[in-house]
C-alpha cells in the first residue's frame, strides 16, 4: 500500500481507477476508526460493569458476614432460652 501511495504522489494526473482506490481506502479507514471507537466504548462499559460488580461483591460479602453474626447471636439466645425452659420443666416435674 505504501508503494502505491508513493507512486500516486509522483503522478501529475491520477487515473480514475486510482482515485477509486483512494476513495475506497479512505472509506475503509473511516470504518476502521468507527470500529475502534466502538470497541473502546464497549471496553469502557465492560470495565465500569466489572468495577461495579466488584463493589457489589464486597458489599454482599460484608452483608453476609453481618447476617451470619446476627444469626449466630439468635441461635445462641435460642439455645439459652431452650436451656432455661428445660431447667424450668425439670424443676416443675420434681
Amino acid at each position: 500500500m505504501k508503494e502505491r501511495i508513493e507512486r500516486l504522489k509522483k503522478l501529475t494526473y491520477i487515473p480514475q481507477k486510482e482515485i477509486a482506490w483512494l476513495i475506497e481506502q479512505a472509506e475503509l479507514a473511516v470504518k476502521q476508526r468507527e470500529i475502534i471507537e466502538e470497541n473502546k466504548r464497549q471496553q469502557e462499559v465492560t470495565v465500569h460493569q466489572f468495577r461495579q460488580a466488584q463493589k457489589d461483591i464486597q458489599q454482599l460479602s460484608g452483608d453476609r458476614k453481618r447476617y451470619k453474626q446476627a444469626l449466630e447471636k439468635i441461635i445462641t439466645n435460642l439455645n439459652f432460652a431452650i436451656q432455661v425452659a428445660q431447667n424450668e420443666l425439670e424443676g416443675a416435674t420434681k
Side-chain angles (χ1 to χ4, degrees):
M1 185 167 161
K2 282 186 178 183
E3 296 98 19
R4 195 167 185 180
I5 291 171
E6 290 304 317
R7 186 172 57 84
L8 287 172
K9 286 180 181 177
K10 294 176 186 174
L11 296 175
T12 53
Y13 164 77
I14 301 176
Q16 198 65 26
K17 181 180 174 186
E18 299 299 335
I19 290 175
W21 179 82
L22 284 173
I23 292 170
E24 181 182 315
Q25 294 304 307
E27 289 171 345
L28 285 173
V30 168
K31 287 179 184 176
Q32 287 174 341
R33 190 175 313 121
E34 289 171 354
I35 290 169
I36 289 168
E37 288 172 4
E38 177 61 18
N39 286 344
K40 283 182 181 179
R41 188 192 67 75
Q42 288 178 0
Q43 184 178 21
E44 289 171 0
V45 168
T46 301
V47 167
H48 175 72
Q49 289 174 338
F50 178 76
R51 288 185 178 148
Q52 185 61 45
Q54 280 183 320
K55 287 179 185 177
D56 292 346
I57 289 169
Q58 288 174 348
Q59 181 179 353
L60 289 171
S61 294
D63 290 347
R64 180 183 173 273
K65 186 176 180 180
R66 285 189 297 279
Y67 291 143
K68 183 179 178 184
Q69 289 171 346
L71 185 58
E72 287 171 351
K73 285 181 183 180
I74 291 170
I75 290 170
T76 300
N77 290 339
L78 285 174
N79 284 335
F80 179 74
I82 290 169
Q83 189 63 45
V84 169
Q86 284 176 342
N87 291 343
E88 286 178 8
L89 280 175
E90 287 176 7
T93 57
K94 289 184 182 180

